[in-house]
């Protein structure tokens, strides 16, 4: 009798969680070659996986040209000139600072001791250059997360303490620039600033750029459950910012990023991606993307995250519409969460194409 009850209980458990227990946060399977669901993304003019650009979420040809020049010649002056001519309060300056810092960090990773020497020369030869100080601060933040012993280790804290000091230097060199304070938001997360300390830095950011999407994304991480806030605090921060968003702002998409940051590691809920919470956040992001200026440098970030949710929600045509706008670049969430951003992106792209064609779509019916 005990065996019978055990078998019944086992059967009920399997029926309840079997279809869902393997649906991990990023576990999406590639279809087998020759499968009816195996469609060809190349038919839509999409870029081959090995040619996807991992450095940026979307195009910025001026930045790419300067990056190539700096890395080829190891001369920092072109980077300094580009940042000096980039609007301080805008999103593009923040992204360019991140890109230069990331390039130097990766160089150092691949060439220990010599990589990124152009950044060291920049700081040594022009210590009063505000752009150089901002890039140096962001470089230190990225180094802490990439190459130290991990959050909480002595090395991690030492590097972030240095980053905090350089953020202060950069802020003094460019009083109206929010970027040094945005960088300090990442320092605050790593060093565990109290809420009061964090709010003091945040006040300096919004005094300079109240609708800065990149700053809000950096602040959202601090308020997440896995760092120094909670699911409720992160949601409140995101929805409040979205409610106050000016016309054409991408802040209306912030709640979708909050949802993403709190996705369950194992999804046990059938239809989770069609739930009211997810659907509302997706609709807000779609609205923001539709009304934002086409050249908004944060727009590709929103489109990439939309692709993830739209594919998961089986909204194939809408996912394809987003893919048309961003294909070619994969330097954005959610792809950068993993070790193979290009591979992760192409899996979702293939699923979108397969779902689109399974429902009657074709290259001829997809608007560009």
């Amino acid at each position: 009798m005990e065996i019978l009850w055990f078998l019944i209980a086992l059967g009920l458990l399997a029926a309840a969680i079997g279809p869902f227990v393997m649906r991990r946060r990023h576990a999406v399977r590639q279809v087998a070659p020759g499968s009816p669901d195996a469609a060809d993304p190349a038919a839509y003019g999409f870029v081959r996986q090995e040619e996807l650009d991992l450095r940026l979420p979307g195009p910025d040809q001026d930045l790419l040209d300067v990056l190539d020049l700096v890395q080829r010649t190891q001369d920092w002056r072109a980077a300094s000139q580009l940042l000096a001519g980039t609007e301080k309060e805008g999103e593009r300056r923040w992204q360019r600072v991140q890109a230069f810092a990331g390039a130097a960090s990766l160089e150092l990773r691949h060439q220990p001791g010599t990589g990124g020497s152009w950044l060291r020369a920049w700081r040594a030869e022009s210590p009063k250059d505000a752009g150089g100080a901002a890039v140096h601060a962001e470089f230190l933040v990225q180094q802490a997360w990439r190459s130290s012993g991990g959050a909480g280790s002595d090395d991690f804290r030492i590097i972030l303490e240095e980053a905090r000091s350089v953020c202060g230097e950069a802020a003094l060199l460019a009083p109206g620039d929010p970027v040094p304070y945005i960088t300090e938001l990442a320092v605050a997360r790593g060093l565990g600033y109290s809420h009061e300390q964090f709010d003091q830095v945040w006040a300096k950011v919004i005094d300079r750029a109240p609708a800065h999407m990149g700053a809000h994304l950096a602040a959202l991480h601090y308020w997440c459950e896995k760092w120094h806030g909670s699911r409720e605090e992160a949601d409140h921060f995101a929805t409040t910012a979205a409610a106050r968003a000016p016309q054409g702002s991408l802040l209306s998409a912030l709640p979708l990023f909050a949802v993403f940051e709190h996705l369950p590691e194992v999804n046990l809920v059938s239809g989770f991606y069609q739930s009211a919470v997810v659907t509302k956040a997706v609709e807000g992001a779609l609205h923001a993307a539709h009304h934002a200026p086409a050249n908004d440098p944060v727009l590709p970030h929103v489109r990439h995250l939309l692709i993830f949710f739209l594919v998961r929600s089986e909204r194939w045509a809408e996912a394809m519409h987003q893919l048309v706008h961003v294909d070619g670049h994969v330097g954005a969430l959610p792809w950068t969460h993993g070790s193979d951003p290009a591979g992760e992106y192409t899996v979702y792209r293939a699923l979108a194409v397969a779902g689109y064609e399974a429902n009657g779509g074709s290259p001829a019916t997809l608007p560009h």
Side-chain angles (χ1 to χ4, degrees), residues 91-141:
E91 306 279 355
R92 197 171 299 280
R93 180 178 177 84
W94 167 233
Q95 292 202 13
R96 287 175 171 175
V97 166
Q98 285 188 306
F100 285 127
S105 179
L106 289 175
E107 274 188 42
L108 186 59
R109 181 178 179 181
H110 295 307
Q111 305 167 47
T114 61
S117 60
W118 54 269
L119 178 55
R120 291 192 292 275
W122 189 354
R123 293 292 282 143
E125 295 169 18
S126 187
K128 300 299 184 184
D129 187 311
V135 172
H136 185 200
E138 175 64 24
F139 166 81
L140 289 168
V141 168

Side-chain angles (χ1 to χ4, degrees), residues 37-346:
D37 291 329
D40 183 11
Y44 295 83
F46 292 146
V47 175
R48 294 169 60 88
Q49 179 175 335
E50 59 270 25
E51 297 173 355
L52 291 167
D53 194 318
L54 309 179
R55 296 170 293 180
L56 299 172
D60 184 347
Q61 196 57 50
D62 289 341
L63 172 61
L64 293 177
D65 289 344
V66 169
L67 262 178
D68 290 341
L69 177 63
V70 168
Q71 293 185 305
R72 187 174 67 253
T73 65
Q74 292 295 295
D75 189 335
W76 53 269
R77 289 173 179 80
S80 175
Q81 291 171 3
L82 183 65
L83 288 181
T86 305
E87 180 188 10
K88 286 182 180 178
E89 295 80 9
E91 306 279 355
R92 197 171 299 280
R93 180 178 177 84
W94 167 233
Q95 292 202 13
R96 287 175 171 175
V97 166
Q98 285 188 306
F100 285 127
S105 179
L106 289 175
E107 274 188 42
L108 186 59
R109 181 178 179 181
H110 295 307
Q111 305 167 47
T114 61
S117 60
W118 54 269
L119 178 55
R120 291 192 292 275
W122 189 354
R123 293 292 282 143
E125 295 169 18
S126 187
K128 300 299 184 184
D129 187 311
V135 172
H136 185 200
E138 175 64 24
F139 166 81
L140 289 168
V141 168
Q142 294 194 25
Q143 282 296 101
W145 294 103
R146 278 189 175 131
S147 62
S148 67
S153 70
D154 289 342
D155 287 348
F156 181 81
R157 295 190 66 85
I158 288 169
I159 296 173
L160 285 185
E161 289 287 359
E162 185 180 356
R164 173 160 59 181
S165 176
V166 180
C167 284
E169 293 177 34
L172 289 174
L173 291 170
D177 188 355
V179 169
Y181 297 107
I182 299 173
T183 302
E184 192 178 351
L185 295 176
V187 174
R189 177 162 54 100
L191 292 181
Y193 281 23
S194 69
H195 290 184
E196 292 75 19
Q197 289 174 304
F198 184 87
D199 285 340
Q200 289 173 8
V201 180
W202 181 240
K204 294 174 182 177
V205 174
I206 60 174
D207 280 349
R208 291 159 176 80
H212 198 291
M213 181 65 170
H216 281 79
L217 290 173
L220 177 64
H221 291 152
Y222 175 90
W223 291 113
C224 285
E225 188 173 61
K226 59 189 173 185
W227 287 106
H228 308 293
S230 65
R231 186 186 302 264
E232 293 73 23
E233 286 173 306
D235 181 66
H236 175 74
F237 176 81
T239 54
T240 300
R244 296 174 179 172
Q247 181 66 28
S249 169
L250 286 168
L251 287 175
S252 297
L254 199 61
L256 187 63
F257 287 85
V259 171
F260 177 76
E261 291 297 333
H262 293 92
L263 287 177
E265 284 298 317
V266 178
N267 177 26
L268 300 179
V269 180
S270 177
F272 171 78
Y273 288 93
Q274 291 84 25
S275 67
V277 170
V278 173
T279 299
K280 182 179 179 181
V282 167
E283 293 302 330
L286 285 169
H287 176 84
H290 180 73
H291 289 90
N295 63 347
D296 190 315
V298 185
L299 182 54
H301 284 279
V302 175
R303 293 194 188 280
H304 279 289
L305 196 61
L306 275 168
I307 291 166
F308 172 88
F309 279 98
L310 291 169
V311 168
R312 288 281 185 161
S313 303
E314 300 181 8
R315 296 167 64 168
W316 313 115
E318 291 167 292
M320 291 293 287
H321 178 72
Q322 302 303 322
L323 280 163
V324 165
H325 288 285
V326 299
D327 191 71
H329 300 83
V330 293
L333 288 174
W335 328 122
T336 52
H337 255 335
S339 59
D340 182 14
E344 187 84 1
Y345 169 81
T346 52

